Amino acid sequence: MAGRASIASMFSVIAATSVSGSAQAGDLTDSTTGNAKTPGWIITIGGGSEYGPSYEGSSHNTFTFVPSFDLRRTDEKADLSAPDDNIDYSLFTLGGIEFGPVVGFRSGRAQSDSRALRDIHPIDWSVDAGAYAQYWPIEDQFRLRLEARQSLRKNDGFVADFAADWFTPVGDNLMISAGPRAAFADSTYMSNSFGISATESAASGLDAFDPKAGFKSVGFAVGVTYQISDTTSLQVYNKFERLVGDAANSPIVSNIGSNTQNTIGIVLTRSFTLNF
């Protein structure tokens, strides 16, 4: 289970690779009876900062705080993850494909983010939930992943994120991940994020716009994680996105924003073992 959430955009949903310290084999056996103990938990927490768009489609960048969280059993293998994985937990594997629930956070948009937005509806940050599936054509090297998430707020819509990542260790303490991205959104999401009503058009001077469902962005993400010690790691990452289709054609993007979105981040994490 791994994940990260950005509190300032309230959260441009991102998760770091968490390389956790593992329990020794003897820790799982009772020294008195010789029986197996109930596995404990390894919790990885951390924080850092991102520098990226103040809202989706913005041409202005801001700094945000980024917390990181990971949870797994002491008898479970630590997963490799990409910088933009959301919070997930593996439930089962079928035919080599791993399935489980996933939770993400969506960034908001305030009218104060830009003078041009003062007559356009704001967007509150929100939480979404759904399922993920991932498959390793090459174990611990090449991964394919799909996340499908529906917002818990009825007007925020559905998104699906597609990713392919290659993981490369460099020496004993460094891991590099990189791969392409694509994101799909339904009409509810697109209308909320990029739409402009007739009333808003009359007030703002921007053309009315009614976007349809479709792919909203393509991009590329790179992460570099350095294992400082058995329990502490540092990750830096960059995610580049280009808005496409109706997302790019929205006056919110084409007139007052930018279809080029780039986010740089750094996060420090530390792991703790809880046995109970």
Side-chain angles (χ1 to χ4, degrees), residues 6 15 32 52 55-56 66 71 73 91 96 100 111 119 121 134 136 138 179 191 203 209-210 214 220 222 236 243-244:
S6 164
T32 301
Y55 60 88
E56 190 172 22
V66 180
L71 176 68
R73 290 280 195 175
L91 286 183
Q111 291 176 320
D119 296 309
H121 63 275
Q134 65 181 28
W136 292 85
I138 305 176
S191 179
F209 190 70
D210 182 22
F220 197 86
V222 178
V236 295
L243 297 175
V244 297

Side-chain angles (χ1 to χ4, degrees), residues 98-201:
E98 179 182 326
F99 297 91
V102 62
V103 176
F105 302 89
R106 298 194 187 178
S107 61
R109 184 181 70 204
Q111 291 176 320
S112 60
D113 285 336
S114 170
R115 291 184 60 186
L117 292 174
R118 64 184 182 273
D119 296 309
I120 305 299
H121 63 275
I123 301 173
D124 294 329
W125 71 269
S126 62
V127 177
D128 57 22
Y132 82 96
Q134 65 181 28
Y135 175 68
W136 292 85
I138 305 176
E139 186 67 23
D140 291 336
Q141 284 191 304
F142 180 55
R143 184 195 70 169
L144 302 173
R145 180 179 174 96
L146 165 66
E147 292 187 11
R149 307 183 310 278
Q150 172 67 43
S151 174
L152 302 184
R153 194 190 305 272
K154 66 177 182 179
N155 294 326
D156 290 350
F158 168 87
V159 293
D161 295 324
F162 305 87
D165 290 283
W166 185 270
F167 294 85
T168 302
V170 180
D172 295 330
N173 299 319
L174 198 68
M175 177 66 73
I176 300 173
S177 67
R181 301 288 187 267
F184 172 91
D186 70 359
S187 58
T188 301
Y189 179 99
M190 295 290 283
S191 179
N192 189 45
S193 297
F194 304 107
I196 301 174
S197 69
T199 301
E200 291 172 334
S201 174

Side-chain angles (χ1 to χ4, degrees), residues 53 55-60 109 114 116-117 120 123 189-190 192-196 206-207 209 211 216-217 241-261:
Y55 60 88
E56 190 172 22
S58 175
S59 59
H60 300 288
R109 184 181 70 204
S114 170
L117 292 174
I120 305 299
I123 301 173
Y189 179 99
M190 295 290 283
N192 189 45
S193 297
F194 304 107
I196 301 174
L206 298 172
D207 292 339
F209 190 70
K216 70 182 183 72
S217 67
E241 291 180 291
R242 182 174 293 277
L243 297 175
V244 297
D246 278 2
N249 293 331
S250 167
I252 293 173
V253 177
S254 61
N255 287 26
I256 62 176
S258 173
N259 67 344
T260 299
Q261 310 279 280

Side-chain angles (χ1 to χ4, degrees), residues 4 8 30 39 42-43 55 75 96 100 132 137 148-149 166 197 214 220 231 237 249 259 266 268:
R4 174 183 297 165
D30 189 299
I42 294 175
I43 299 175
Y55 60 88
D75 60 349
Y132 82 96
R149 307 183 310 278
W166 185 270
S197 69
F220 197 86
T231 59
Y237 57 92
N249 293 331
N259 67 344
I266 182 169
L268 180 70

